[in-house]
Amino acid sequence: MAKTLTGIVTSDVRDKTITVTVTSRETHPIYRKQYTVSRKYQAHDENNEAHVGDKVQITETRPISRTKSFILSNIEERARGSIELKEEAV
């Protein structure tokens, strides 16, 4: 069965490729303390549908290139927009 991950798109600059950051909580084996782990995956986005900030689901597949072995399954939630800071008038 193919591995499926859910994460946030952090980069969509490259053609047909997105960078997805997957965040998970893990417990230390000795100290039993929980900590956050972030991993980045490159995923194939054939139609350039996903953009920065979108919550997406990616599925493991055969290697497409040296760094890409995931494809975009579906877009779960679109980004709501970015906040832009105004230039102060002097």
Side-chain angles (χ1 to χ4, degrees), residues 10-67:
T10 52
S11 175
D12 63 349
V13 176
R14 295 187 291 168
D15 188 34
K16 296 186 180 183
T17 303
I18 56 174
T19 302
V20 180
T21 301
V22 177
T23 306
S24 62
R25 303 270 298 159
E26 293 185 2
T27 305
H28 194 277
I30 296 172
Y31 301 116
R32 300 291 178 217
K33 184 86 173 177
Q34 283 195 338
Y35 56 97
T36 305
V37 178
S38 295
R39 292 185 180 93
K40 287 185 178 180
Y41 297 96
Q42 314 302 320
H44 187 68
D45 182 9
E46 183 64 38
N47 301 322
N48 292 319
E49 299 167 335
H51 300 291
V52 175
D54 293 351
K55 186 175 183 181
V56 296
Q57 191 172 24
I58 56 175
T59 306
E60 193 173 31
T61 184
R62 64 177 179 79
I64 297 166
S65 71
R66 182 176 148 199
T67 58

